[in-house]
């Protein structure tokens, strides 16, 4: 099967009712990153950080996958698909995608404050301040905060280097190292970008821009790929 690699961002979940970060009325308009998404914020005011991610977890649990998530899952019928997502929601998995790499963690899990490899599933949306890991340290959301390592980045780069077709959707490519992954895709490989505001991508070859919302552009692209003789 042909290897398709898909890199997604917040935009692919926008039509499921989950805010993006940098669009108008995006999350970072309502919150300071320094107050809710850094290790320093956790040191300074863990209650505020925990509340922020509890609210986001509640939104994620109430959200449903959309046509774009389902179309990418359908692609697995004919292709070897790996989805590399910057999203901390589980909508790709809930739509049926079986090979999803979460670069920035997943909000349905908690992690130890002292050892990020110790992770635990969370029941419901609320993670209490008193909950601790097996080492006795407070549990926090299993998400990668600004300034923290991105443990899956090397694996993701290796996957991108092996892509035979590449799809990028719903990311402004504003955050590194995730945004650098597009440059691991080989020059001869076709690269589709699906976004209502196509992000600036310098030095990228073989690009097909689909200026559309994910729920329009992705199902159309998937239909085209499924009907072609690959
Ligand atoms: N369909 C497709 N794309 C959309 C849609 C839609 N309906 N609505 C918005 N977009 C696009 C925007 O045009 C933009 O390119 O989604 C992108 C959203 O960009 P950001 O808000 O910057 O989100 P993302 O790129 O995922 O952010 C990267 O930054 O804040 C951190 O850790 C966080 O993973 C996140 C990272």
């Amino acid at each position: 099967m042909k290897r398709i690699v898909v890199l997604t961002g917040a935009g692919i979940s926008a039509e499921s009712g989950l805010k993006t970060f940098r669009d108008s009325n995006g999350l970072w308009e309502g919150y300071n990153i320094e107050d809710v998404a850094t290790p320093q914020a956790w040191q300074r005011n863990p209650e505020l950080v925990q509340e922020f991610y509890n609210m986001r977890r509640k939104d994620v649990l109430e959200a449903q996958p959309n046509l774009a998530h389902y179309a990418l899952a359908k692609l697995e019928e004919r292709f070897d698909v790996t989805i590399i997502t910057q999203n901390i929601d589980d909508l790709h998995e809930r739509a049926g995608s079986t090979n999803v790499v979460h670069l920035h963690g997943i909000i349905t899990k908690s992690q130890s404050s002292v050892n990020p490899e110790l992770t635990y599933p969370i029941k419901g949306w609320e993670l209490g301040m008193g909950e601790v890991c097996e080492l006795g340290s407070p549990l926090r959301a299993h998400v990668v905060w600004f300034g923290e390592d991105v443990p899956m980045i090397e694996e993701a780069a290796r996957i991108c280097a092996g892509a035979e077709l590449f799809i990028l959707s719903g990311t402004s490519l504003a955050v590194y190292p995730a945004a650098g992954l597009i440059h691991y895709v080989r020059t001869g490989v076709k690269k589709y970008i699906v976004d209502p505001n196509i992000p600036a991508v310098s030095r990228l070859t073989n690009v097909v821009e689909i200026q559309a919302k994910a729920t329009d552009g992705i199902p159309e692209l998937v239909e085209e790929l499924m009907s072609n003789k690959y």
Side-chain angles (χ1 to χ4, degrees):
M1 278 184 165
K2 196 173 183 98
R3 282 191 306 279
I4 295 184
V5 175
V6 189
L7 178 60
T8 66
I12 203 162
S13 297
E15 296 158 87
S16 293
L18 300 177
K19 283 187 175 181
T20 63
F21 296 92
R22 295 171 186 82
D23 290 309
S24 62
N25 190 28
L27 264 173
W28 296 147
E29 277 192 7
Y31 292 89
N32 282 334
I33 288 174
E34 295 73 28
D35 294 342
V36 292
T38 63
Q40 296 76 13
W42 178 249
Q43 291 308 320
R44 235 184 357 259
N45 188 344
E47 290 79 14
L48 177 67
V49 174
Q50 202 82 309
E51 184 57 22
F52 173 72
Y53 286 100
N54 281 346
M55 285 303 109
R56 293 189 57 197
R57 191 173 302 107
K58 197 166 185 291
D59 294 343
V60 165
L61 297 182
E62 287 165 4
Q64 296 302 325
N66 61 48
L67 293 176
H69 297 108
Y70 285 114
L72 290 175
K74 186 175 171 50
L75 210 49
E76 292 188 14
E77 290 171 12
R78 285 212 41 213
F79 299 95
D80 172 1
V81 181
T82 302
I83 296 179
I84 300 170
T85 188
Q86 297 168 81
N87 299 344
I88 59 174
D89 65 55
D90 61 347
L91 298 182
H92 283 301
E93 290 90 339
R94 276 201 262 154
S97 289
T98 61
N99 198 4
V100 183
V101 174
H102 283 269
L103 281 177
H104 297 158
I106 188 161
I107 202 165
T108 53
K109 286 184 178 174
S110 64
Q111 78 178 55
S112 160
S113 296
V114 293
N115 178 351
E117 279 160 30
L118 297 177
T119 66
Y120 312 84
I122 300 174
K123 284 199 193 60
W125 61 272
E126 197 161 12
L127 179 59
M129 282 313 300
E131 299 184 46
V132 296
C133 75
E134 62 214 69
L135 305 173
S137 84
L139 290 177
R140 50 168 272 190
H142 178 48
V143 297
V144 175
W145 287 330
F146 288 89
E148 292 190 317
D149 292 342
V150 179
M152 296 302 291
I153 197 66
E154 277 160 33
E155 170 70 4
R158 191 188 59 71
I159 293 165
C160 287
E164 293 171 302
L165 192 144
F166 183 76
I167 301 171
L168 182 84
S169 187
T171 178
S172 62
L173 297 174
V175 169
Y176 284 77
L181 287 171
I182 56 175
H183 296 298
Y184 287 87
V185 182
R186 287 164 295 152
T187 49
V189 169
K190 209 165 191 176
K191 306 162 186 81
Y192 294 89
I193 304 182
V194 183
D195 195 309
N197 316 303
I198 302 288
V201 279
S202 59
R203 294 180 289 113
L204 213 56
T205 57
N206 252 322
V207 174
V208 178
E209 297 184 350
I210 301 175
Q211 192 160 6
K213 293 189 300 184
T215 57
D216 297 331
I218 296 282
E220 272 168 39
L221 174 58
V222 166
E223 202 174 315
E224 182 201 317
L225 296 174
M226 299 286 274
S227 63
N228 281 346
K229 296 274 167 295
Y230 278 110

